[in-house]
């Protein structure tokens, strides 16, 4: 006896789900278009214009930009000010980053089992809500060196019988700024790492403690692997922020008139100098060339960092 098959019809639930998906697709562009337009207008187009202007000679007003090939790049690379700026920026990225994350992990391990840890975390985060200019003015008061008007640091050193030091001399500013960055930025990364540590199941630490694991072994085998993805994101944030450092150096190393000495420059100060013209005439082409170099540097460092820290996610 032959069987008769009846055509199947989609259920009401499937029809409703399909209609909902269709509505979501229709609403995608009306919601996404404004954001994409702003992204294009304020990021993509200015970036393209910066690259184009880096191959020109232009004072920013008056005459139209005049193409000059790679002259801006060759002059930039050979100039002492750029070499100082590039070297100082790398010091802030690498030495500042190592110090910041070492301090952040140390505090993270201490605060994890500490009563009142959240209150201490909030106190450590406080320097991040202070404007960099105000922070630089405060640190300038601390490290000031003037005969008869010593800053707090020199006052303490002299009280202990040591000689006063010229902390803000051009040759010393980079070290002072690096230490200041570590102190001011560690609270932000402590907060990020503590949030990652809080999601680790407590029984992992309890099992390790029962097994006689030392604090270093618990950090190496539990904390670091379980927070590796967050550490990678925090490393990218640090790299981008360190490459853009400007205000703190400008306030601490600046003579109060125009710009700091060349020995204390960063890439951001180099762009500022070429944009506003320390020699009287702005050079937007040279400023754009340095900006392109900053974009290339941050892109390379971020890609390398992401590759070095790439690891399969750990499920727990």
């Amino acid at each position: 006896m032959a069987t008769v098959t009846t055509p199947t019809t989609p259920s009401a639930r499937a029809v409703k789900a399909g209609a909902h998906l269709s509505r979501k697709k229709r609403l995608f562009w009306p919601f996404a278009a404004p954001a994409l337009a702003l992204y294009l207008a304020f990021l993509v187009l200015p970036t393209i214009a910066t690259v184009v202007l880096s191959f020109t000679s232009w004072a920013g007003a008056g005459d139209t930009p005049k193409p000059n090939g790679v002259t801006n790049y060759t002059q930039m690379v050979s100039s002492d000010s750029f070499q100082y700026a590039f070297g100082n920026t790398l010091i802030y990225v690498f030495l500042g980053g190592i110090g910041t994350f070492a301090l952040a992990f140390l505090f993270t391990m201490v605060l994890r089992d500490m009563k009142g840890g959240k209150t201490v975390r909030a106190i450590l985060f406080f320097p991040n809500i202070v404007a960099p200019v105000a922070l630089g003015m405060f640190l300038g008061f601390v490290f000031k060196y003037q005969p008869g008007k010593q800053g707090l640091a020199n006052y303490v050193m002299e009280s202990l019988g040591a000689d006063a030091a010229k902390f803000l001399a051009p040759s010393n500013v980079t070290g002072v700024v690096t230490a200041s960055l570590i102190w001011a930025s560690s609270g932000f990364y402590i907060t990020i790492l503590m949030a990652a540590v809080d999601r680790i199941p407590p029984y992992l630490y309890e099992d390790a403690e029962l097994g006689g694991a030392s604090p270093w072994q618990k950090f190496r085998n539990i904390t670091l692997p379980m927070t590796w993805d967050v550490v990678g994101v925090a490393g990218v944030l640090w790299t981008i922020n360190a490459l853009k450092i400007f205000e703190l150096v400008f306030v601490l190393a600046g003579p109060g008139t125009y710009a700091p000495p060349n020995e204390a420059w960063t890439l951001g100060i180099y762009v500022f100098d070429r944009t506003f013209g320390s020699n009287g005439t702005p050079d937007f082409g040279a400023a754009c060339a340095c900006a392109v170099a900053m974009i290339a540097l941050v892109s390379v460092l971020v890609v390398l960092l992401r590759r070095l820290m790439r690891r399969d996610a750990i499920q727990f």
Side-chain angles (χ1 to χ4, degrees):
M1 182 176 178
T3 58
V4 180
T5 60
T6 58
T8 59
T9 58
S11 64
R13 181 179 299 177
V15 172
K16 187 176 181 179
H20 179 67
L21 182 61
S22 178
R23 285 196 301 271
K24 287 178 63 177
K25 289 181 178 180
R26 288 198 302 268
L27 290 174
F28 174 79
W29 285 111
F31 280 97
L36 292 174
L38 292 174
Y39 182 82
L40 180 67
F42 292 102
L43 184 64
V44 176
L45 293 180
T47 301
I48 295 173
T50 299
V51 175
V52 173
L53 288 174
S54 69
F55 296 100
T56 65
S57 176
W58 187 40
D63 296 336
T64 57
K66 298 177 181 178
N68 63 354
V70 295
T71 302
N72 292 327
Y73 290 95
T74 56
Q75 292 178 350
M76 176 183 69
V77 173
S78 61
S79 67
D80 291 338
S81 55
F82 177 79
Q83 293 172 12
Y84 280 122
F86 188 81
N88 290 335
T89 301
L90 291 184
I91 289 174
Y92 296 140
V93 171
F94 292 105
L95 292 185
I98 292 172
T100 298
F101 280 91
L103 192 62
F105 272 118
L106 177 62
F107 272 97
T108 297
M109 297 309 298
V110 171
L111 295 176
R112 186 177 62 85
D113 299 320
M114 177 180 174
K115 291 184 178 180
K118 292 184 178 180
T119 303
V120 177
R121 190 192 316 181
I123 295 173
L124 294 173
F125 186 81
F126 178 76
N128 291 275
I129 66 177
V130 179
V133 174
L135 187 62
M137 294 176 66
F138 167 74
L139 293 173
F141 166 76
V142 172
F143 295 112
K144 180 172 62 174
Y145 174 84
Q146 288 181 1
K149 296 182 180 179
Q150 302 290 18
L152 181 61
N154 277 323
Y155 176 79
V156 172
M157 290 177 62
E158 289 181 340
S159 300
L160 297 175
D163 295 331
K166 296 183 179 180
F167 290 106
L168 301 182
S171 58
N172 298 330
V173 166
T174 300
V176 172
V177 172
T178 302
S180 301
L181 279 176
I182 294 172
W183 168 74
S185 303
S186 58
F188 175 75
Y189 295 96
I190 289 170
T191 302
I192 293 177
L193 295 178
M194 281 295 296
V197 170
D198 288 344
R199 69 179 186 175
I200 299 176
Y203 67 81
L204 294 177
Y205 290 105
E206 294 170 1
D207 291 346
E209 197 164 340
L210 290 174
S214 65
W216 166 248
Q217 289 173 326
K218 288 190 284 187
F219 170 78
R220 185 183 62 184
N221 297 306
I222 299 176
T223 304
L224 192 58
M226 293 293 186
T227 59
W228 192 253
D229 54 339
V230 178
V231 174
V233 174
V236 171
L237 293 176
W238 169 263
T239 301
I240 295 172
N241 291 329
L243 281 171
K244 297 188 300 181
I245 182 173
F246 173 80
E247 301 97 328
L248 194 59
V249 179
F250 194 87
V251 174
L252 284 177
T257 53
Y258 177 69
N262 287 356
E263 294 90 336
W265 278 20
T266 63
L267 292 177
I269 294 177
Y270 184 94
V271 173
F272 170 84
D273 176 81
R274 294 301 184 265
T275 302
F276 294 99
S278 60
N279 296 321
T281 302
D283 190 348
F284 272 55
C288 289
C290 186
V292 172
M294 292 177 67
I295 294 172
L297 181 60
V298 72
S299 301
V300 170
L301 291 178
V302 168
V303 170
L304 289 177
L305 185 63
R306 297 301 294 170
R307 286 186 174 275
L308 287 173
M309 303 196 70
R310 184 167 54 190
R311 181 182 294 185
D312 293 336
I314 298 178
Q315 302 294 331
F316 57 88

